[in-house]
Amino acid sequence: MIVQQAMLDELLESRAAELDEHDPLAVARARFVLPHAKVYCQSTCLGPLPESVPAMVEGAVSAWGHDLLSAWMDAGWWDSPRRVGDKIGTLLGAAPGRVVAGDSATVHLFNVLVAAARLRPERRVLLGITSQFSTVRYITDSVAGLLGLRVRRVPPEDLVAVLAATGDEIAVVIDEPVDFRTGAAHSLADVARAARAAGAVVVADLCHAAGVLPVDLDANDIDFAVGCTYKYLCGGPGSPAFAYLNARHHDSEYLMALPGWTGHAEPFEMEAEYRPADNADRARIGTAPILSMVALEAALDAFDGITIEQIRRSSLSLSDFFFACADRLLAGRVEIATPRQPDRRGGHIAVRHPDAELLVARLADRGVLGDRRPPDLMRFSLHPLTLTHREVLRVVTELAFVLSDRDPVG
Ligand SMILES: *Cc1c(COP(=O)(O)O)cnc(C)c1O
């Protein structure tokens, strides 16, 4: 049995080596500072550090020291929300001028959700998914309370049918194309099409999609989208989030919830009345956190020359290989909560086991860094720019080891 296992592992090892050798994104790995002798699978919480970041942050600190106020314009700080937004936009299928960076995903969500609801004043329902991420749930409930609306939540696979059946009541659909727990993905395009047919506005939270899953915001005619940048986009702890505004929402009369001065058409005129900028700048709120913005802008260089379609292919190759390794090494001992069907997968794999907490701790002791979502899920993000197939094999091998090795319960 042991001999047989070793032979199987050898097969997987040579397969991993072969896949790594032909991975077109292998060059990108050198653009990151990765922990020595560990396998980092925590990008669902915090992407690793791109090596271009420290020097750029130092440069910004030194511009502050030497150039003081003039650096706001001379060092390009004032325009950075748009410039950085455009860079993020290339990974979201958004044309230049439709994405701005700044604030947090939570703040942007509140801001655009109110704006979206104001576009459909005659409708009373905000439609979300049952598996909403906590902050999405809280903000949706808060906006509903403030505007006197009702919230309805349905499983993501029912969104299209619910929109077809009761779409004329629905003001806004708030969708998350990747389940933050299980990593299950569904088609934002299908949801957007059904919403359009029903006359509902679409808001997408892309935190678990940005940088790993194509979302084609322009082509899918999404109204508003938000997302954080510290997960797959590797912008750093608390890095500025982004908001996407469909071009059709650049010059209409509606207002964002948070009409901050930097989103004004003429911010330096300090006018008594708020007039929104007639472009995506209206999603700017207050002054941007420049040191974090500079870190994010430098981090995005790690994606230079790489398309989101290439990233998706590598991502699926890594998760395919995870399934192949799990079939041989874990069979029957755990349940993989992520759907096996490729178009139903996001960027991470979730493994279900009642001892998830203990197993994640044991794995960390052995150099495999995953994380946990209570009650019983272990999550392993497979960042396509930094992870190899050999490392995926190591994750599964170590998981098989800690499963065999764990103390008998009780
Ligand atoms: C991570 C995540 C957030 C984070 O929001 P912050 O404002 O950055 O804390 C929001 N929504 C989803 C779906 C997430 O996964």
Side-chain angles (χ1 to χ4, degrees):
M1 173 64 204
I2 286 169
V3 171
Q4 194 183 358
Q5 192 68 53
M7 276 170 57
L8 285 176
D9 292 359
E10 239 168 70
L11 277 178
L12 288 171
E13 264 167 40
S14 59
R15 181 77 188 125
E18 195 183 323
L19 287 166
D20 286 338
E21 200 177 321
H22 296 104
D23 180 1
L25 299 193
V27 289
R29 196 172 152 87
R31 302 178 185 172
F32 289 85
V33 178
L34 294 167
H36 177 68
K38 292 191 173 175
V39 184
Y40 188 73
C41 296
Q42 297 174 325
S43 295
T44 40
C45 301
L46 180 68
L49 170 69
E51 53 146 26
S52 51
V53 169
M56 293 301 283
V57 173
E58 265 177 48
V61 170
S62 121
W64 169 21
H66 291 116
D67 307 329
L68 292 155
L69 179 60
S70 66
W72 265 104
M73 294 304 168
D74 297 348
W77 293 349
W78 177 261
D79 294 323
S80 61
R82 278 288 282 284
R83 198 172 58 243
V84 174
D86 285 349
K87 268 185 147 180
I88 297 169
T90 62
L91 296 166
L92 303 177
R98 297 186 184 173
V99 178
V100 293
D103 299 281
S104 66
T106 303
V107 169
H108 280 310
L109 184 64
F110 178 76
N111 204 21
V112 304
L113 191 46
V114 169
R118 283 173 171 166
L119 286 166
R120 294 291 180 276
E122 69 293 350
R123 296 185 175 206
R124 310 309 313 155
V125 177
L126 302 179
L127 179 65
I129 55 176
T130 40
S131 48
Q132 277 181 325
F133 182 85
S134 55
T135 213
V136 182
R137 180 171 286 267
Y138 308 152
I139 294 293
T140 303
D141 288 344
S142 166
V143 169
L146 286 168
L147 302 181
L149 304 174
R150 208 154 49 74
V151 181
R152 184 169 173 203
R153 292 185 176 91
V154 302
E157 56 274 19
D158 294 350
L159 280 175
V160 169
V162 168
L163 280 161
T166 64
D168 56 352
E169 300 170 11
I170 294 160
V172 187
V173 190
I174 307 117
D175 195 16
E176 295 161 58
V178 181
D179 186 304
F180 74 98
R181 289 194 182 88
T182 63
H186 63 268
S187 166
L188 180 60
D190 289 351
V191 173
R193 205 171 304 115
R196 187 76 45 236
V201 180
V202 181
V203 171
D205 182 323
L206 304 177
C207 286
H208 281 278
V212 75
L213 185 73
V215 287
D216 296 322
L217 295 181
D218 287 345
N220 288 323
D221 202 20
I222 304 303
D223 290 282
F224 300 96
V226 305
C228 56
T229 63
Y230 48 77
K231 295 173 184 169
Y232 291 97
L233 293 172
C234 302
S239 56
F242 65 84
Y244 164 88
L245 268 64
N246 189 300
R248 114 172 70 87
H249 300 314
H250 286 190
D251 54 8
S252 43
E253 289 297 301
Y254 75 98
L255 286 179
M256 312 296 289
L258 300 166
W261 75 283
T262 65
H264 192 279
E266 297 287 349
F268 293 102
E269 296 302 318
M270 311 281 166
E271 291 173 7
E273 294 280 321
Y274 183 76
R275 274 193 299 128
D278 61 359
N279 54 46
D281 276 353
R282 71 170 62 198
R284 291 181 67 167
I285 304 168
T287 305
I290 293 302
L291 296 180
S292 295
M293 191 71 86
V294 166
L296 170 59
E297 184 165 9
L300 292 169
D301 287 346
F303 291 81
D304 274 357
I306 298 172
T307 67
I308 192 68
E309 287 73 25
Q310 288 176 311
I311 292 174
R312 176 63 171 165
R313 276 195 292 279
S314 289
S315 168
L316 287 177
S317 176
L318 292 167
S319 52
D320 279 345
F321 191 59
F322 193 106
F323 276 103
C325 295
D327 285 345
R328 295 203 189 187
L329 303 175
L330 299 175
R333 290 198 280 170
V334 293
E335 178 203 336
I336 298 193
T338 312
R340 199 165 183 131
Q341 200 183 319
D343 64 355
R344 298 279 334 275
R345 275 183 237 151
H348 69 272
I349 296 279
V351 178
R352 183 168 277 130
H353 192 282
D355 294 336
E357 182 171 11
L358 176 73
L359 293 169
V360 165
R362 289 281 166 83
L363 282 172
D365 291 341
R366 299 180 60 81
V368 170
L369 305 175
D371 78 337
R372 196 174 74 82
R373 279 295 168 264
D376 57 0
L377 288 180
M378 298 170 253
R379 293 192 307 182
F380 303 97
S381 77
L382 309 180
H383 199 308
L385 268 57
T386 68
L387 211 74
T388 63
H389 296 81
R390 283 191 196 81
E391 287 177 313
V392 169
L393 174 57
R394 182 164 161 215
V395 170
V396 180
T397 305
E398 292 293 354
L399 183 53
F401 179 85
V402 296
L403 275 164
S404 308
D405 189 54
R406 97 201 113 101
D407 291 334
V409 178

